Amino acid sequence: MNSIQTSPLSEIMLEKDGKIRTKSSRAGDYVVVAICVFLILIYLAPFVNIISRSLSSPNALVNNRVSFWPVDFTLDSYVYVFIPAASKVPEAAVRYINWLAKPEVYRFLQFGEEGKNHKIVNGLPATIPADGPTIQNSVNNIDYTISMNGIWLGDEETTAKAIANGYTCDPEYIVQAIRCSLNDAEAGLVVPVTLSVAGPYTEDLKAKGEEGTCNAVRAPEGQFDAIWDAFIAEWRASGADEIIAERAAKYVDPF
């Protein structure tokens, strides 16, 4: 005869849906839920880290201080870079910008190879003249490092000292000059003026300007001055003089 195993009444629970469950089966449910929550957290961790990094300062990123919470909160990452809607490969553009934002990448682009593009002075790179394959197309390759629009070594003070290392004078003079340039700046004054005569001439003058510039650049040796002067005379006679006169008449000295 087969025996029937039963559970004590103390281990039996009646669920809301009418099903009878034992305490051991409920414990198994808790274990499954805990495992699921753990796996969800593991999957979410990289995304949380990415978001935290995007909301942290460059200094915090360079020094690896960011994990799952923003450090030195900033929205700068969402201000400067955008991909035009006309881009045919927006994903590739984003990947390129992300690559440029890596410290090891932009530092190499900015300072190049030690001994060829820079030397170390007081623990910081100092730019030195270079030629041949290692020459930089612009100072510190700022044309390439678009993500920071200049040199960046993690914080303003360190960056200023590195820039100062590239000068032959006392580096402290350069550091002080940089500090002054970053404080109490005033935007250039703009006085809006509507020019009534500009409308009819704008496109024609623009076309003449482009054509005249191209002709001057391609001028044969010894003929540049003559070609340039003829271009300017024709350009002014085509409406530019009227615009200049109206602009001068409407100018108001703001001071």
Side-chain angles (χ1 to χ4, degrees), residues 94-245:
V94 171
R95 288 198 299 270
Y96 176 67
I97 293 172
N98 287 338
W99 177 78
L100 281 179
K102 293 181 178 180
E104 64 271 20
V105 174
Y106 67 71
R107 285 184 178 178
F108 180 80
L109 287 174
Q110 290 176 337
F111 294 103
E113 187 176 348
E114 184 177 353
K116 294 183 178 180
N117 299 98
H118 74 273
K119 59 183 178 180
I120 301 299
V121 177
N122 297 325
L124 295 173
T127 303
I128 58 177
D131 56 16
T134 60
I135 193 171
Q136 295 179 324
N137 293 327
S138 58
V139 178
N140 297 109
N141 277 331
I142 59 174
D143 295 337
Y144 298 154
T145 52
I146 57 176
S147 51
M148 64 282 305
N149 192 30
I151 297 175
W152 183 251
L153 288 176
D155 61 81
E156 292 181 357
E157 189 70 17
T158 303
T159 302
K161 291 180 179 179
I163 295 174
N165 276 347
Y167 290 81
T168 56
C169 63
D170 185 346
E172 187 59 27
Y173 292 151
I174 306 301
V175 172
Q176 291 295 337
I178 293 174
R179 288 174 182 166
C180 291
S181 69
L182 296 176
N183 291 282
D184 301 325
E186 295 183 3
L189 183 64
V190 177
V191 180
V193 175
T194 301
L195 301 176
S196 59
V197 299
Y201 298 123
T202 300
E203 291 302 320
D204 184 49
L205 288 174
K206 180 180 178 181
K208 287 183 179 296
E210 293 174 351
E211 181 182 3
T213 302
C214 290
N215 290 337
V217 170
R218 296 179 297 178
E221 185 177 356
Q223 298 183 28
F224 173 83
D225 288 343
I227 292 177
W228 181 260
D229 291 343
F231 152 60
I232 292 297
E234 181 184 359
W235 183 74
R236 295 187 64 169
S238 299
D241 274 342
E242 293 182 47
I243 296 176
I244 293 172

Side-chain angles (χ1 to χ4, degrees), residues 36-77:
C36 290
V37 171
F38 177 72
L39 292 176
I40 291 173
L41 292 176
I42 290 178
Y43 284 119
L44 287 178
F47 297 100
V48 174
N49 177 257
I50 291 174
I51 294 174
S52 297
R53 291 175 67 86
S54 71
L55 297 173
S56 300
S57 69
N59 185 32
L61 296 177
V62 170
N63 292 288
N64 294 319
R65 294 162 51 201
V66 183
S67 55
F68 300 109
W69 193 257
V71 178
D72 300 334
F73 180 83
T74 177
L75 294 175
D76 287 352
S77 298

Side-chain angles (χ1 to χ4, degrees), residues 5-25:
Q5 295 182 349
T6 60
S7 299
L9 291 177
S10 60
E11 295 184 3
I12 297 177
M13 296 182 181
L14 183 64
E15 301 288 346
K16 292 182 179 180
D17 57 5
K19 295 181 180 180
I20 297 177
R21 306 288 298 278
T22 64
K23 286 185 177 180
S24 59
S25 64

